[in-house]
Amino acid sequence: MTAAPSSAPAEIQHPSLKKDVNILRWPAERQLREQCRRLGLLRLLVVERNHEPPTCSDVREDWIRMPATSKDFQARITALQLRGVSHTVPHLDQDGILRMGTAAVAVSPREAQLLQVLIQRFGRTAAREELRAHLSEDGKEASRNALDLHIKRLRRRVRPLGLAIRTAWGRGYVLEYDTPNQARGADV
């Protein structure tokens, strides 16, 4: 197993835990399974001979009994990865820490105001005017340039989390998963 990144919280610093799929022996690594579950990490349980498989009610978990072909093993890993991505959304805490899975970045109070709207509409368009309204203070409307500057800064902050803010031309912005094969163009 690979080690968790050094930016991960101390509780994830177990040498065998990682952000991708954690492969655990069942029931021998029962405690690691529970730690992964609490942290929301993906896990594939390899059920040992003469043991019953656990009941998996979490979309971030699956099991396989050996012997299995490498094709079957890889298919389970791929399925977990796809399920894991579809059930993970960013979270912004009250201290201005944006978390995605086990990664986190700090954002300014103004950026946090914008992120609240973008996270509420994760994967959908957040209107420019609504975002500008969240930047306004004391009845003064924020300028278009102020919004553009904050979005530019936020794009840099969310990229290490595997997120991107895309422009919905003429409408607003979309916070979504960063896909490496998408053209970035003006969004950088």
Side-chain angles (χ1 to χ4, degrees):
M1 305 286 158
T2 60
S6 60
S7 63
E11 62 194 8
I12 301 176
Q13 292 298 329
H14 190 283
S16 66
L17 295 185
K18 57 185 182 176
K19 288 170 55 174
D20 197 28
V21 177
N22 291 279
I23 300 170
L24 306 173
R25 294 177 302 128
W26 176 262
E29 296 180 306
R30 175 176 283 159
Q31 290 176 332
L32 278 179
R33 175 197 184 209
E34 183 56 29
Q35 186 177 5
C36 286
R37 187 195 62 74
R38 280 194 318 270
L39 296 170
L41 299 175
L42 301 174
R43 55 220 178 264
L44 179 61
L45 306 178
V46 179
V47 179
E48 297 173 352
R49 276 184 211 262
N50 303 322
H51 286 88
E52 288 296 313
T55 301
C56 299
S57 58
D58 185 346
V59 297
R60 293 173 193 88
E61 181 175 274
D62 201 353
W63 64 269
I64 191 167
R65 189 180 298 277
M66 297 309 263
T69 66
S70 61
K71 210 174 192 178
D72 287 342
F73 200 77
Q74 188 56 50
R76 295 285 177 117
I77 289 173
T78 301
L80 271 171
Q81 290 167 330
L82 292 172
R83 279 187 272 161
V85 166
S86 68
H87 286 85
T88 304
V89 293
H91 171 73
L92 181 65
D93 69 19
Q94 71 273 7
D95 297 320
I97 307 295
L98 178 64
R99 300 180 190 284
M100 182 68 178
T102 60
V105 295
V107 298
S108 73
R110 293 292 214 171
E111 292 167 340
Q113 290 173 327
L114 294 176
L115 278 169
Q116 287 174 343
V117 177
L118 291 165
I119 290 169
Q120 285 174 350
R121 289 171 185 70
F122 188 74
R124 299 181 325 236
T125 303
R128 276 189 72 83
E129 294 311 311
E130 182 179 4
L131 292 168
R132 281 179 60 195
H134 277 78
L135 285 179
S136 302
E137 48 178 47
D138 299 329
K140 295 180 185 176
E141 188 173 309
S143 72
R144 179 183 173 111
N145 287 341
L147 177 60
D148 293 342
L149 180 62
H150 283 290
I151 293 294
K152 179 181 177 182
R153 289 177 181 157
L154 274 174
R155 283 181 169 140
R156 280 191 244 139
R157 293 219 195 275
V158 303
R159 190 174 297 133
L161 303 180
L163 299 170
I165 299 175
R166 310 268 185 235
T167 302
W169 294 106
R171 295 186 317 242
Y173 298 96
V174 179
L175 176 64
E176 61 188 6
Y177 303 111
D178 191 15
T179 52
N181 59 350
Q182 277 186 335
R184 289 196 169 126
D187 287 358
V188 176

